[in-house]
Amino acid sequence: MMKDFLSIHDLSLYEFHEILDLSKEIKKNPHHFRQSLKNKVLAMIFQKPSLRTRVSFEVGMLELGGEAIYLAPSDIQAGTRETFYDIGKNLERWVDGIMLRTFAHENLIELAEAASIPVINGLSDLLHPCQAMADVFTLKEKKGNLAGLKLAYIGDGNNVCHSLLLAGAKAGMTIAVATPPGYEPKEEIVHQALEDGRETGFKLFLTSNPEEAVVGADAVYTDVWASMGQENEREIRKKIFAPYQVNRQLMAKAAKDAFFMHCLPAHRGEEVTDEVIDSPQSLVYDQAENRLHVQKAIMLLLMGKK
Ligand code: CP
Ligand code: NVA
């Protein structure tokens, strides 16, 4: 296993499946892993708000026998009070791993290069790899297999979309992305996904038409239209993204009994209607739960005995 977990692109196919297999094992027998990270400490640096990431990492460390330290945005003022380089050089003297939620992805790279201990991406403007691993784990639980499944992502070509593309590529899925023109996923990530998916059977469709994207989809995924850090664009984005709402009419065009997925938090009534997110086909709380199991697997592989 590599030192850090910054992007799904960095994983070998073996490591990608190893994380999913270990997550399953941990979810089934959590008590087998109660001492696995005994006395280890994870520092969690947050430059943005969080419910799921914060709680699932903290509980994950506790359940593995270790501890987590929460560092709020105002505590260390990362990047302002001192550089990510110096933060890494300090933290490595005290703790066993660092989770960072930040704005620029380069901050994660700077921290990971400085620190000799594992660094985990808890979301950047570019990627949200822990989320996408939990998402494909959830789909695999429901469907048994990932290869050949079709996931339609509707909305903003953002961090969550990027990591889903990279996870779908490793898993040999079909991913259809529908975004308004100008909000497509970054070319750099699309290229990485196509490269990673060359031998897995991965298929990619990019369109601006949500109805076209959802045809035959086993799962329909959406995320907020304005991500953290884009709050001042919220009103303009509401207008641009209105035709991309996931509602009953759009779900009806997907495969019969298609799942609905969302990383949460959701802006109900914007990117998704109540009747879709609260429907029996919605996996959103399973996805949230599975953050815990999948991140325990990631921490174990990075911070456990080699
Ligand atoms: N999905 C997710 O990462 O949620 P939080 O922002 O609450 O951590
Ligand atoms: N795209 C969202 C995901 C939140 C988990 C954001 O970055 O705010």
Side-chain angles (χ1 to χ4, degrees), residues 48 101 123 128 158-160 223-224 226-228 263-265:
K48 294 173 176 173
R101 166 166 287 195
L123 180 147
H128 197 1
N158 61 15
N159 45 9
V160 169
D223 184 13
V224 292
S227 284
M228 292 181 276
C263 55
L264 305 179

Side-chain angles (χ1 to χ4, degrees), residues 46 48-56 101 122-123 128 130-131 160 221 223 228 262-265 288 291 295:
F46 282 89
K48 294 173 176 173
S50 170
L51 172 68
R52 281 147 290 273
T53 304
R54 191 245 161 114
V55 176
S56 56
R101 166 166 287 195
L123 180 147
H128 197 1
C130 293
Q131 180 68 51
V160 169
Y221 199 119
D223 184 13
M228 292 181 276
H262 192 308
C263 55
L264 305 179
R291 293 287 302 276
Q295 288 160 196

Side-chain angles (χ1 to χ4, degrees), residues 2-304:
M2 70 274 178
K3 180 179 87 68
D4 309 297
F5 183 72
L6 304 186
S7 171
I8 293 171
H9 178 59
D10 301 333
L11 298 173
S12 67
L13 275 184
Y14 177 84
E15 288 166 338
F16 175 78
H17 291 288
E18 188 182 25
I19 292 172
L20 297 178
D21 292 346
L22 183 58
S23 305
K24 187 175 174 187
E25 176 67 20
I26 290 174
K27 184 170 183 177
K28 199 164 144 213
N29 295 308
H31 49 282
H32 288 177
F33 299 88
R34 287 252 179 255
Q35 309 281 319
S36 301
L37 291 184
K38 194 169 161 55
N39 298 329
K40 302 258 184 188
V41 179
L42 177 77
M44 309 189 295
I45 307 173
F46 282 89
Q47 296 194 289
K48 294 173 176 173
S50 170
L51 172 68
R52 281 147 290 273
T53 304
R54 191 245 161 114
V55 176
S56 56
F57 268 106
E58 188 159 341
V59 172
M61 276 309 282
L62 286 177
E63 290 185 358
L64 292 170
E67 278 188 48
I69 299 173
Y70 173 67
L71 297 161
S74 57
D75 285 344
I76 57 175
Q77 297 169 32
T80 310
R81 190 160 176 270
E82 57 193 313
T83 61
F84 284 91
Y85 178 88
D86 278 333
I87 291 170
K89 286 290 177 206
N90 280 264
L91 284 174
E92 71 178 15
R93 302 291 180 112
W94 307 311
V95 303
D96 305 283
I98 309 170
M99 190 241 76
L100 171 62
R101 166 166 287 195
T102 191
F103 292 89
H105 190 73
E106 290 67 33
N107 296 337
L108 275 155
I109 294 170
E110 185 180 326
L111 182 69
E113 280 174 3
S116 55
I117 54 175
V119 174
I120 299 173
N121 181 354
L123 180 147
S124 66
D125 289 345
L126 186 69
L127 296 169
H128 197 1
C130 293
Q131 180 68 51
M133 289 305 295
D135 296 337
V136 291
F137 177 77
T138 306
L139 263 182
K140 194 174 174 186
E141 261 188 330
K142 302 289 171 190
K143 291 283 197 177
N145 219 333
L146 291 171
L149 287 185
K150 178 174 176 182
L151 182 142
Y153 178 93
I154 311 297
D156 188 19
N158 61 15
N159 45 9
V160 169
C161 174
H162 288 156
S163 286
L164 283 171
L165 282 173
L166 296 170
K170 298 270 184 206
M173 293 169 62
T174 295
I175 309 267
V177 179
T179 64
Y183 294 88
E184 294 89 356
K186 279 195 194 313
E187 256 177 54
E188 171 203 348
I189 303 292
V190 168
H191 281 140
Q192 288 180 356
L194 290 172
E195 186 188 316
D196 290 355
R198 255 202 309 257
E199 280 159 30
T200 64
F202 172 60
K203 291 199 191 73
L204 172 64
F205 296 101
L206 300 176
T207 171
S208 58
N209 183 342
E211 298 189 356
E212 197 176 286
V214 300
V215 172
D218 301 289
V220 178
Y221 199 119
T222 191
D223 184 13
V224 292
W225 293 336
S227 284
M228 292 181 276
Q230 299 173 332
E231 288 78 7
N232 58 354
E233 293 175 33
R234 190 156 171 196
E235 288 314 310
I236 177 151
R237 281 171 171 260
K238 262 199 221 173
K239 292 197 184 86
I240 294 168
F241 284 85
Y244 294 80
Q245 183 184 67
V246 178
N247 49 36
R248 199 160 44 131
Q249 291 78 349
L250 190 66
M251 288 301 291
K253 299 205 155 72
K256 191 172 170 291
D257 297 330
F259 290 119
F260 171 73
M261 302 180 78
H262 192 308
C263 55
L264 305 179
H267 292 152
R268 289 163 172 258
E270 292 183 24
E271 76 274 6
V272 60
T273 56
D274 283 338
E275 68 179 346
V276 169
I277 197 171
D278 295 328
S279 70
Q281 289 312 110
S282 171
L283 299 183
V284 298
Y285 306 118
D286 292 321
Q287 292 171 256
E289 179 192 329
N290 286 334
R291 293 287 302 276
L292 172 69
H293 311 299
V294 168
Q295 288 160 196
K296 282 166 79 175
I298 292 167
M299 290 193 288
L300 206 53
L301 290 168
L302 292 180
M303 294 162 65

